[in-house]
Amino acid sequence: MTHSMHRRTLLAGLCALLPARRALAAQSLRIGTIGAGHVGSTLAGLWLGAGHPVVLSANDIASARAAAEALGQNAQAGTPQDAARFGDVVLLAVPYGALPSLGASLRDLLAGKIVIDACNPYPWRDGEIASTAREQGAGITTQSFFPGAHIVRAFNSEDMSTIRAEAHRPPPLLGIPYAGDDPAAMRTVGTLIAEAGFDPVAVGPLAAARLFQPGSDGFEADLSAADLRTRLHLPRT
């Protein structure tokens, strides 16, 4: 084969690869985490493994840096504002009682973005706002703090030790319930649940997230998707 023929063959091969590479790049989402503790770092690690770059944040920047360093390449650290600006999708992974103040400081940065709410309200820890969230539904309450964001409740129903242990297990995968009002946000979060190694179970609109908040039948259910749908009286797919 002449040099010119070899060059044409090489270029043809590269051109054939470009659509696949563009498709892969299009699937990559920038993810910011508000919180770099057990929840934030666990989910960040799973999404990094799926090829998504992550910025972890915390009020204590040193803890965010330590979490990012432990996760390795493509993990960075910053302030909550940095993470909110960076993320196409932003994960809320803080005590529920912190959400009102975070809403006041981040609502403009998160307007129009997909926000995954993994926070659970506990009155013994979070005070009156937790009682309100338990009564009217945590998803609806969270949405009130971030009125311009597309809130999706997800990854709040299982302990992170379970998430770590069960991610990418042999089928049947662990079912993870999620709920939200925006169809595009729901599709994106469903994909992120699947990429983290679980079977996404769409429960319904944001108001339906009370079906898997603390005290409900769907909380810490530890079930396959089919069994979780039965538990929550959802139609089988």
Side-chain angles (χ1 to χ4, degrees), residues 107-187:
R107 69 174 63 190
D108 291 341
L109 290 173
L110 295 179
K113 294 193 175 188
I114 299 169
V115 175
I116 300 175
D117 175 22
C119 311
N120 281 319
Y122 295 107
W124 57 266
R125 181 192 64 189
D126 302 308
E128 184 177 349
I129 192 60
S131 299
T132 300
R134 296 282 285 266
E135 181 179 344
Q136 71 178 15
I140 298 298
T141 305
T142 301
Q143 183 71 78
S144 71
F145 304 135
F146 304 92
H150 302 301
I151 301 292
V152 178
R153 286 278 287 174
F155 285 109
N156 69 288
S157 65
E158 295 289 346
D159 185 85
M160 284 299 116
S161 60
T162 300
I163 293 295
R164 285 180 184 270
E166 301 296 338
H168 299 287
R169 76 184 189 188
L173 298 175
L174 181 68
I176 296 295
Y178 64 115
D181 291 336
D182 182 77
M186 285 286 284
R187 287 192 294 271

Side-chain angles (χ1 to χ4, degrees), residues 54-72:
V54 176
V55 166
L56 297 104
S57 75
N59 287 331
D60 173 15
I61 190 68
S63 64
R65 288 192 182 115
E69 288 172 5
L71 289 171

Side-chain angles (χ1 to χ4, degrees), residues 31-121:
I31 297 175
T33 78
I34 311 300
H38 195 31
V39 176
S41 60
T42 297
L43 294 175
L46 293 172
W47 288 325
L48 283 163
H52 303 294
V54 176
V55 166
L56 297 104
S57 75
N59 287 331
D60 173 15
I61 190 68
S63 64
R65 288 192 182 115
E69 288 172 5
L71 289 171
Q73 191 175 12
N74 286 333
Q76 302 175 58
T79 66
Q81 288 76 17
D82 293 332
R85 290 189 187 95
F86 175 82
D88 301 310
V89 177
V90 176
L91 171 72
L92 298 175
V94 296
Y96 200 90
L99 293 186
S101 61
L102 283 172
S105 62
L106 299 180
R107 69 174 63 190
D108 291 341
L109 290 173
L110 295 179
K113 294 193 175 188
I114 299 169
V115 175
I116 300 175
D117 175 22
C119 311
N120 281 319

Side-chain angles (χ1 to χ4, degrees), residues 10 24 34 44 52 55 103 111 160 170 189 193 212 217 224 232-233 235:
L10 179 60
L24 181 62
I34 311 300
H52 303 294
V55 166
M160 284 299 116
V189 174
I193 291 171
F212 54 92
D217 287 343
S224 69
L232 299 180
H233 307 288

